[in-house]
Amino acid sequence: MALSLRKKQLDLITRMLHLNQQQSSPDGGGDGEEEAYKILVMDGPCISLLSPVLRVGDLRKHGVTLHLNIDKARQQVPDAPAVYLVRPTPANADRIAADAAAGLYASFHINFSTSVPRPVLERLASATAASRSAHRVARVADQYLDFTCLEDGLFSLAQPRAYVSLNDPAAADADITAVVDAIALGLFCVASTLGTVPIIRCARGGPAEMVAAALDARLRDHLLAKPNLFTEAASSAASSFQRPVLCLFDRNFELSVGIQHDWSYRPLVHDVLSLKLNKLKLPTEKYDLDDSDPFWVANSWLEFPEVAKEIEAQLAKYKQDVDEVNQRTGGGRDGVEFDGTDLIGNTKHLMNAVNSLPELTDRKKMIDKHTNIATALLARIKERSLDGYYRCENDMLENGTVDRSMLLSLLSGKGTKEDKLRLAVTYLLSFEAPPPSELEQVEAALRESDVDMSAFLYVKRIKSLNTQFAAASSTASRSNIVDWAEKLYGQSISAVTNYLSDGRQLALTRTVEALMEGKPNPEVDNYILFDPRAPRSGTGGQFRGPFREAIVFMIGGGNYIEYRSLIELGQRSQPSKHVIYGATEILNGVEFIQQLAELGQKAGLGSGGSNLPSQ
Amino acid sequence: MSRVRDRTEDYKDSVRVAALSHGYTESQLAALMSSFIIRKPSPRSPFTNAAVKTLESIRELEKFIVKHRKDYVDMHRTTEQERDTIEHEVGVFVKACKEQIDILKNRIHEDERNKRAKTWLGTSDENSRLDLIAHQHGVVLILSERLHSVTAQFDRLRSMRFQEAINRAMPRKKFKKKPETKLAETPKSNLVLQSDVSKSGDQEVSTAPLRVQEQLLDDETRALQVELSNLLDTVQETETKMIEMSALNHLMSTHVLQQAQQIQYLYDQAVEATNNVERGNKELSQAIQRNSSSRTFLLLFFFVLTFSVLFLDWYKN
């Protein structure tokens, strides 16, 4: 069973758009088409949820004539049914009630993107009852759709700044619980869309365990209620062999991936040109980069120089094809031959040529688009000398060596402030104990370039805390937030340095591979296992693998680099395994380092730098 | 597989509770609950009814094409005439659907104009119809897209038919050529043989004049044969050329029609643009005039002011 998250989400949305009626066969009656022309009303987050999956033309195929934002002023369309897809907040409930009272549409089919809490439902009910318009509401349903599926195996929960909220030293308990609950609800939506109850594994201590516990509780509660969303799936996936494993990780597990510079096409576009929701906005125009673009699908993981070569190869092939078409149809020939056979062949060629023209124009447009993107990328790369940064970071992370002169020259040379900061933090993270003199030089270079030091100092402080608490035992109360945070950092960074000595496979990939294989492995043996289907008290069957499918979730910021390494893991293993990757949000390096800087400032490590802990 | 949790029951319960708290009477409560169970179909505007009817007719057209697809494409099931009738019927149907869509479109525009004419003060009323108008445009767009896809399907079938017609014509010509060349060769060889035989037979004096006559007749028939076969050749070539031309015509016409709308739109836009530019020019020239006139007026104003101030000053003193 190949899990294609995107297809399943699309199926759900399509069914919702057809008002949850049976798909009528072409010969069947026109009963389902009585309400053929609907209006779709959504709120902001749901619009961004829908945009990577459906386009406006596709909406029309499903019979949606208009899509509107719930917050804008709307007018009456008295004879059309309206499909609402909103988040279950009280404000949305009020707006729906107002719309029903004003009688804007003929019937209301209300779908909430996650489970609607009872108070909100009662609020909606009382408002509609008071305005005598409750009969207009035809249906209320929970769709469990609250995640953005960017590609077949990549999703994001669109919960910005989760990392900051979780690691904020001044955060209250209630805030943290709220964030953890929101993440658990998002993961529940993903599990229910896939139709499986996964086996949850996470590291001890820290936000991962809290999220896992919350999700486990939610799944258990849901499985007890009847009818639940997983009963149909249970019969088809009876053996636990077919259940996927959900691996939860915290961003602190491997900080360096979040900020490093990468040299492949897709991470570069995401980083330098800020790709958002598969849409790219250049100063001159906008582009869509998703599955409908064959060049992107085929070449997005290549290194940048190779991508340029590919574009040139495609351009040459295109020119060749165009020349061939011109030649065959007598475009450049002198003298026309009226030979009988030749004429017949001529017309056939003409017909083929005319038929292939639209395809050729599409190819040309695609080549133009990628040429523009590559040119823009190249300009920025030259401006910021990103290739130097990439090489330096790669040396540090992979080989554990550093070319001091290159490091310092980069820090004082070209590149934005964020680039330098990222390089410095990568330097900090790749060495267990950097020699103090070098550290001083690096810091001095940073200060000279007038870079905001909060992120750097924050990471430094984490490392210093790590050295102090590395020996602490794993059992400790989690009531004090700073306590468990420091515990977490201790384990995570020591884990990171262990892995880094062994060549440059991402620690995340290694752990996921170990978890999926299920063989006893010292790295992952002390990972907690939650199985929502198993009875709570029983010791029965703690199933540890091997698994064929995995869902990897990163609490904090996700990254295309991790996504690529997980895809490679899936393809590498035989038989090929299927890995889905998700995060609370997909961040590029610039945004992540900004979040680190924000945390540094919150921890009081502002540009003063007066509270540097002694090493 | 329902991955969706239906909360309508919860909603109904909450509505009942809320209704009681808001002071509904028993009858009203009963009416409310029954309206949940039995959904009253709301009255639909004539526009929507017409749109639904058009959708029905498009679907019927699709069914018709699907039913006759096999007959149409398969080589040996139907004759050319039947195919032509099918095409004709489909064409008529498509035209009817297109007319219906056009009627709907015109109705939207008429409604717009009527409303605007009636309420010349009610600009707010216009705004309140924006969504409705957009919705109706959307409905028309959906219908026309549906019709497009159905006609594209049928076009593909038609082009397949043309392709096969051409293919049928070509091999016949090729096959015809080969036996003809053979035929052309054999009379020649026959002639040579005959001439040899006749040469050897010339020595036999008695039957010579008869044989010569026979030979002449044979030659004539053979020449006629060759001529007729040549004619046949050329006629078949013309036939294939005609078929090809019609196929090309059909191809070109579809493409041209596709572009005709775009060109019309571009033309309208260009006309509007020129109008705008002209108006812009006029406004600019007016502005320049006013600018210069205002400048003179301003100068005069200050002049007069200065002199009046001087005058008053002199007057004081």
Side-chain angles (χ1 to χ4, degrees):
Chain A
M1 172 177 84
L3 306 170
S4 169
L5 192 59
R6 188 173 162 148
K7 184 164 174 317
K8 295 207 163 115
Q9 194 184 33
L10 190 58
D11 285 341
L12 269 184
I13 296 180
T14 315
R15 220 185 15 176
M16 172 188 80
L17 286 178
H18 283 271
L19 302 179
N20 288 35
Q21 282 153 350
Q22 298 294 341
Q23 299 279 10
S24 52
S25 56
D27 304 323
D31 213 33
E33 298 289 345
E34 286 283 305
E35 323 230 357
Y37 304 113
K38 331 164 193 47
I39 303 204
L40 181 61
V41 183
M42 298 184 282
D43 65 349
C46 290
I47 291 184
S48 54
L49 188 158
L50 211 58
S51 70
V53 173
L54 272 182
R55 271 182 226 115
V56 183
D58 297 337
L59 277 178
R60 272 207 289 270
K61 242 185 282 192
H62 296 297
V64 174
T65 56
L66 284 180
H67 60 281
L68 303 167
N69 194 327
I70 197 172
D71 296 320
K72 299 223 176 84
R74 277 161 294 120
Q75 294 92 28
Q76 201 189 36
V77 182
D79 55 359
V83 177
Y84 280 76
L85 176 64
V86 289
R87 282 189 157 179
T89 63
N92 283 336
D94 288 338
R95 288 224 66 144
I96 297 178
D99 289 345
L104 282 187
Y105 308 113
S107 60
F108 289 68
H109 301 255
I110 306 179
N111 298 285
F112 290 104
S113 60
T114 63
S115 170
V116 56
R118 196 79 203 200
V120 175
L121 191 62
E122 281 173 12
R123 193 176 167 136
L124 177 67
S126 78
T128 47
S131 59
R132 303 281 196 279
S133 55
H135 60 278
R136 292 225 177 90
V137 175
R139 197 186 139 95
V140 177
D142 292 341
Q143 287 285 343
Y144 293 110
L145 274 183
D146 197 9
F147 57 93
T148 317
C149 195
L150 292 172
E151 279 180 35
D152 257 353
L154 178 66
F155 70 90
S156 145
L157 289 184
Q159 287 174 4
R161 298 161 47 102
Y163 181 70
V164 173
S165 333
L166 282 174
N167 290 320
D168 193 349
D173 256 342
D175 290 338
I176 300 228
T177 333
V179 171
V180 164
D181 272 338
I183 298 179
L185 187 55
L187 282 174
F188 181 75
C189 291
V190 174
S192 104
T193 310
L194 289 173
T196 58
V197 178
I199 296 185
I200 309 173
R201 301 216 54 181
C202 63
R204 261 177 220 287
E209 190 173 351
M210 293 166 69
V211 171
L215 181 62
D216 183 53
R218 206 175 253 275
L219 279 169
R220 267 181 215 276
D221 287 340
H222 197 83
L223 282 172
L224 290 172
K226 289 193 224 325
N228 67 53
L229 301 173
F230 303 100
T231 40
E232 296 93 356
S235 49
S236 65
S239 69
S240 51
F241 185 70
Q242 289 181 324
R243 286 168 70 185
V245 59
L246 170 64
C247 315
L248 291 169
F249 292 102
D250 185 60
R251 181 77 261 169
N252 290 323
F253 183 69
E254 194 172 11
L255 266 181
S256 57
V257 178
I259 44 176
Q260 72 176 88
H261 292 97
D262 196 74
W263 201 231
S264 343
Y265 193 31
R266 198 190 295 224
L268 263 181
V269 171
H270 183 226
D271 204 359
V272 176
L273 297 175
S274 37
L275 177 74
K276 282 226 174 338
L277 290 178
N278 290 345
K279 289 193 200 334
L280 184 62
K281 193 163 174 350
L282 287 182
T284 40
E285 34 190 291
K286 292 195 203 160
Y287 293 122
D288 264 339
L289 286 171
D290 55 12
D291 288 349
S292 66
D293 188 341
F295 184 83
W296 179 250
V297 168
N299 299 323
S300 57
W301 298 119
L302 293 179
E303 309 258 314
F304 186 61
E306 285 166 26
V307 168
K309 274 189 230 145
E310 271 292 315
I311 296 182
E312 274 178 46
Q314 294 266 348
L315 189 61
K317 198 154 145 287
Y318 168 78
K319 286 210 183 110
Q320 203 184 18
D321 286 339
V322 168
D323 281 339
E324 201 179 308
V325 164
N326 278 340
Q327 199 189 38
R328 283 238 193 100
T329 58
R333 277 201 310 220
D334 26 33
V336 191
E337 298 158 28
F338 277 116
D339 194 10
T341 47
D342 213 9
L343 199 58
I344 290 177
N346 208 0
T347 40
K348 240 203 188 138
H349 290 146
L350 192 64
M351 279 175 65
N352 287 344
V354 175
N355 281 334
S356 64
L357 272 178
E359 187 202 321
L360 282 175
T361 34
D362 279 339
R363 265 168 68 183
K364 184 72 170 49
K365 248 192 281 181
M366 196 181 68
I367 295 177
D368 277 342
K369 166 166 123 181
H370 285 281
T371 318
N372 284 345
I373 297 178
T375 329
L377 270 181
L378 194 60
R380 308 264 167 103
I381 291 178
K382 283 229 166 59
E383 197 184 303
R384 290 154 62 169
S385 69
L386 285 174
D387 50 339
Y389 280 103
Y390 168 67
R391 245 175 282 135
C392 195
E393 282 174 13
N394 213 18
D395 276 341
M396 287 196 287
L397 289 168
E398 202 162 322
N399 307 331
T401 61
V402 63
D403 187 357
R404 192 200 288 188
S405 51
M406 188 161 80
L407 177 67
L408 290 171
S409 67
L410 278 172
L411 281 175
S412 37
K414 291 194 281 188
T416 62
K417 298 192 182 158
E418 280 92 17
D419 287 332
K420 299 185 186 157
L421 200 51
R422 281 157 77 178
L423 182 62
V425 173
T426 320
Y427 166 74
L428 205 54
L429 285 173
S430 32
F431 298 109
E432 181 79 43
S437 59
E438 259 189 34
L439 198 58
E440 286 295 318
Q441 280 183 330
V442 165
E443 278 184 34
L446 278 181
R447 257 179 259 268
E448 259 173 60
S449 319
D450 202 18
V451 169
D452 181 15
M453 296 284 289
S454 354
F456 187 76
L457 297 168
Y458 180 71
V459 176
K460 211 155 134 193
R461 176 197 256 189
I462 294 178
K463 275 191 76 168
S464 70
L465 288 172
N466 164 38
T467 52
Q468 290 174 24
F469 285 98
S473 63
S474 51
T475 59
S477 69
R478 267 181 245 115
S479 52
N480 191 347
I481 294 159
V482 182
D483 252 349
W484 67 250
E486 291 163 349
K487 218 78 60 213
L488 167 69
Y489 300 152
Q491 274 135 26
S492 63
I493 298 211
S494 62
V496 162
T497 47
N498 278 341
Y499 294 146
L500 283 177
S501 54
D502 261 25
R504 182 65 179 130
Q505 202 188 20
L506 288 182
L508 184 81
T509 324
R510 287 261 279 278
T511 323
V512 170
E513 195 169 1
L515 283 171
M516 278 179 83
E517 280 188 28
K519 302 204 188 80
N521 194 325
E523 297 163 0
V524 299
D525 266 347
N526 66 341
Y527 270 44
I528 319 176
L529 182 143
F530 289 91
D531 187 355
R533 277 201 188 271
R536 203 177 271 270
S537 53
T539 52
Q542 286 240 315
F543 186 69
R544 276 170 192 260
F547 292 99
R548 302 216 32 203
E549 279 138 6
I551 308 173
V552 179
F553 188 77
M554 174 65 67
I555 303 176
N559 207 314
Y560 278 107
I561 306 174
E562 285 178 341
Y563 181 48
R564 175 186 52 186
S565 71
L566 285 171
I567 292 181
E568 281 171 14
L569 168 69
Q571 285 167 346
R572 231 190 4 233
S573 40
Q574 63 265 85
S576 68
K577 309 197 178 167
H578 193 94
V579 181
I580 297 183
Y581 174 68
T584 46
E585 45 173 346
I586 306 280
L587 291 177
N588 58 23
V590 177
E591 293 162 359
F592 190 60
I593 204 91
Q594 278 169 355
Q595 287 195 352
L596 280 176
E598 199 180 321
L599 276 174
Q601 274 169 359
K602 284 209 175 136
L605 299 166
S607 33
S610 50
N611 33 358
L612 268 179
S614 59
Q615 296 261 308
Chain B
M1 270 207 242
S2 63
R3 306 259 169 70
V4 173
R5 212 163 109 202
D6 198 23
R7 302 292 290 267
T8 322
E9 293 303 323
D10 294 340
Y11 176 72
K12 283 189 207 167
D13 292 336
S14 335
V15 164
R16 176 179 297 154
V17 166
L20 286 171
S21 74
H22 277 279
Y24 270 43
T25 62
E26 274 302 317
S27 59
Q28 279 174 333
L29 197 60
L32 185 62
M33 286 299 128
S34 64
S35 75
F36 272 133
I37 305 173
I38 312 171
R39 303 221 47 97
K40 233 190 312 173
S42 48
R44 280 202 299 204
S45 74
F47 181 84
T48 324
N49 285 334
V52 171
K53 266 195 227 121
T54 319
L55 187 64
E56 278 295 320
S57 39
I58 293 184
R59 247 190 290 123
E60 265 192 50
L61 173 66
E62 214 175 333
K63 272 188 247 169
F64 179 78
I65 291 181
V66 165
K67 206 167 33 150
H68 290 276
R69 193 197 310 200
K70 269 211 194 133
D71 296 341
Y72 188 74
V73 168
D74 203 0
M75 283 277 289
H76 308 292
R77 268 179 179 235
T78 44
T79 63
E80 291 292 323
Q81 276 159 334
E82 282 183 31
R83 291 217 190 97
D84 283 334
T85 41
I86 292 178
E87 251 179 66
H88 182 70
E89 271 178 53
V90 168
V92 163
F93 215 157
V94 166
K95 240 184 261 176
C97 291
K98 187 145 190 325
E99 272 171 26
Q100 281 180 345
I101 296 181
D102 282 336
I103 291 177
L104 284 173
K105 224 190 288 185
N106 289 338
R107 203 190 297 194
I108 304 177
H109 288 299
E110 263 176 40
D111 278 346
E112 245 178 298
R113 253 178 286 141
N114 281 348
K115 286 283 172 181
R116 229 180 279 164
K118 272 190 219 165
T119 63
W120 56 277
L121 267 181
T123 42
S124 62
D125 210 7
E126 239 186 65
N127 283 343
S128 76
R129 291 182 55 81
L130 269 178
D131 269 358
L132 181 61
I133 293 173
H135 170 73
Q136 287 174 338
H137 276 294
V139 169
V140 169
L141 199 58
I142 291 180
L143 281 172
S144 55
E145 273 180 8
R146 198 73 192 275
L147 191 61
H148 266 256
S149 65
V150 171
T151 44
Q153 229 182 344
F154 188 67
D155 270 343
R156 256 177 281 148
L157 292 180
R158 242 203 302 196
S159 60
M160 269 167 62
R161 178 188 174 191
F162 276 130
Q163 227 17 53
E164 277 167 29
I166 294 180
N167 285 342
R168 246 182 298 147
M170 271 208 16
R172 223 183 279 161
K173 210 172 69 96
K174 284 211 180 109
F175 283 138
K176 272 289 175 184
K177 265 202 176 164
K178 286 203 201 113
E180 271 158 33
T181 46
K182 280 199 207 121
L183 268 173
E185 279 168 14
T186 40
K188 276 194 211 131
S189 58
N190 275 347
L191 272 168
V192 169
L193 263 174
Q194 291 285 352
S195 55
D196 280 344
V197 168
S198 59
K199 273 190 197 136
S200 59
D202 267 349
Q203 279 133 38
E204 300 170 21
V205 186
S206 51
T207 48
L210 254 176
R211 283 242 188 85
V212 169
Q213 260 196 340
E214 270 180 28
Q215 249 183 357
L216 275 173
L217 276 171
D218 277 335
D219 285 342
E220 265 185 51
T221 34
R222 253 169 243 134
L224 264 175
Q225 222 179 1
V226 166
E227 219 184 290
L228 280 173
S229 54
N230 277 342
L231 261 178
L232 191 62
D233 248 352
T234 37
V235 163
Q236 287 217 312
E237 261 187 54
T238 332
E239 198 186 15
T240 49
K241 278 192 201 153
M242 288 302 297
I243 292 180
E244 271 180 37
M245 268 212 292
S246 65
L248 273 175
N249 255 342
H250 163 246
L251 189 66
M252 290 299 167
S253 64
T254 41
H255 281 269
V256 164
L257 276 173
Q258 270 175 9
Q259 295 175 348
Q261 243 194 359
Q262 280 178 327
I263 294 178
Q264 182 69 22
Y265 179 65
L266 281 172
Y267 174 70
D268 288 334
Q269 291 254 314
V271 164
E272 217 182 293
T274 35
N275 282 343
N276 286 344
V277 168
E278 264 177 74
R279 255 191 285 151
N281 279 338
K282 263 188 255 167
E283 300 281 337
L284 270 176
S285 50
Q286 270 184 9
I288 292 176
Q289 269 182 354
R290 283 202 200 110
N291 196 13
S292 52
S293 75
S294 70
R295 219 183 306 142
T296 46
F297 183 66
L298 207 64
L299 277 175
L300 197 65
F301 188 60
F302 276 124
F303 228 50
V304 167
L305 273 180
T306 332
F307 273 116
S308 59
V309 163
L310 287 173
F311 177 69
L312 283 170
D313 192 43
W314 173 81
Y315 195 65
K316 268 276 167 90
N317 292 355

